[in-house]
Amino acid sequence: MKTVIVSCGTAIATSTVVANAIEEACKAEKIPVNVKQCKAAEIDAYLRDGADLIVTTSQLRSDPGIPVIKGLAFLTGIGKDAVLKEIMDILRK
Amino acid sequence: MRIIDFLDIEAISIHSPAKTSGEIITDLGTRLYKLGKVKDNFISATLKREADMPTGLPLGGEINAAIPHVDIEYVNHSALALATLEQPVIFRNMVDRDEKVYVRLVIMLALDQPKSQIRMLQEVTKILQNPDVVNRLILAETEDQILTILKTMDEEDLLVHKVQ
């Protein structure tokens, strides 16, 4: 099962929306997924446990070494389908 | 819980003359503080967070938004505050702090638990994703009109769910 880290500044608001959207989409597509929500500042600790993808609504300070997708589309709706497809493609691999 | 359950009329500032993101964050934060929704250090914490991790959101049209918020420890009870700005105020893009976002709609989120209020948050994004609602909010002349627009949006949403 793939692990997705969803990060934002506080891990209470925007990442909640994004994590929920990814979980729903994966459920609909029957893709098993483990979604973890964290603050941008906590990403390094979460990476140590292993992850396949980061979806973030805040700017990352360093390169995490795994794919990073910006999740702003889940808030603004702009390009949402494309971003969701990009995420699903990575999780299906 | 729907969006209007979290938005007190006293927490709405229409056609605000604020000139900076700091001014409008302070205005809305003060409103939430007076309502007892947030602690006295909420404003300074939100200002700091906005400087470190901005919340400006380009909406792809002429009107952009910002959703300032901060950690749960500064909040007593979950609530929203909303401002429309007479003139666009500069925020920074949430995913690129070098990019300026000219904001006319500010929705401040005060959340008292992590990962909570998903429904309310989804409704906030629903506003952001609906240019018609955003335009109507900007044009609203009274706080009551703001509440009516949001209530109507909720009801239309309910109708859609019933049909489905």
Side-chain angles (χ1 to χ4, degrees), chain B residues 95-110:
Chain B
V95 289
D96 179 6
R97 65 178 69 83
D98 293 332
E99 185 190 318
K100 291 176 185 170
V101 182
Y102 292 86
V103 166
R104 284 195 68 197
L105 175 66
V106 178
I107 302 177
M108 178 177 271
L109 316 169

Side-chain angles (χ1 to χ4, degrees), chain B residues 9-131:
Chain B
I9 196 160
E10 301 290 330
I12 300 173
S13 175
I14 47 168
H15 300 314
S16 166
K19 295 269 187 291
T20 65
S21 60
E23 276 177 41
I24 194 62
I25 286 172
T26 304
D27 174 13
L28 292 180
T30 305
R31 288 165 187 269
L32 290 177
Y33 177 66
K34 283 182 181 162
L35 289 164
K37 303 290 186 189
V38 300
K39 299 184 174 140
D40 57 359
N41 51 4
F42 174 85
I43 296 170
S44 58
T46 307
L47 289 170
K48 185 178 179 302
R49 138 93 208 213
E50 192 65 38
D52 292 345
M53 283 175 287
T55 66
L57 289 169
L59 298 183
E62 281 181 23
I63 298 164
N64 300 311
I67 51 168
H69 57 278
V70 75
D71 281 310
I72 55 173
E73 61 189 280
Y74 305 100
V75 177
N76 295 324
H77 309 287
S78 291
L80 295 174
L82 186 150
T84 59
L85 291 145
E86 198 60 60
Q87 297 294 328
V89 157
I90 297 173
F91 278 73
R92 298 278 167 171
N93 188 329
M94 199 178 272
V95 289
D96 179 6
R97 65 178 69 83
D98 293 332
E99 185 190 318
K100 291 176 185 170
V101 182
Y102 292 86
V103 166
R104 284 195 68 197
L105 175 66
V106 178
I107 302 177
M108 178 177 271
L109 316 169
L111 294 170
D112 64 359
Q113 287 174 59
K115 304 173 192 176
S116 65
Q117 320 297 4
I118 178 70
R119 187 77 183 270
M120 180 257 266
L121 292 169
Q122 283 172 336
E123 290 194 12
V124 170
T125 62
K126 217 172 281 168
I127 296 173
L128 302 176
Q129 296 181 17
N130 188 330

Side-chain angles (χ1 to χ4, degrees), chain A residues 61-76:
Chain A
R61 285 171 205 276
S62 59
D63 179 4
I66 60 171
V68 177
I69 292 176
K70 288 177 181 174
L72 225 56
F74 291 104
L75 308 177
T76 64

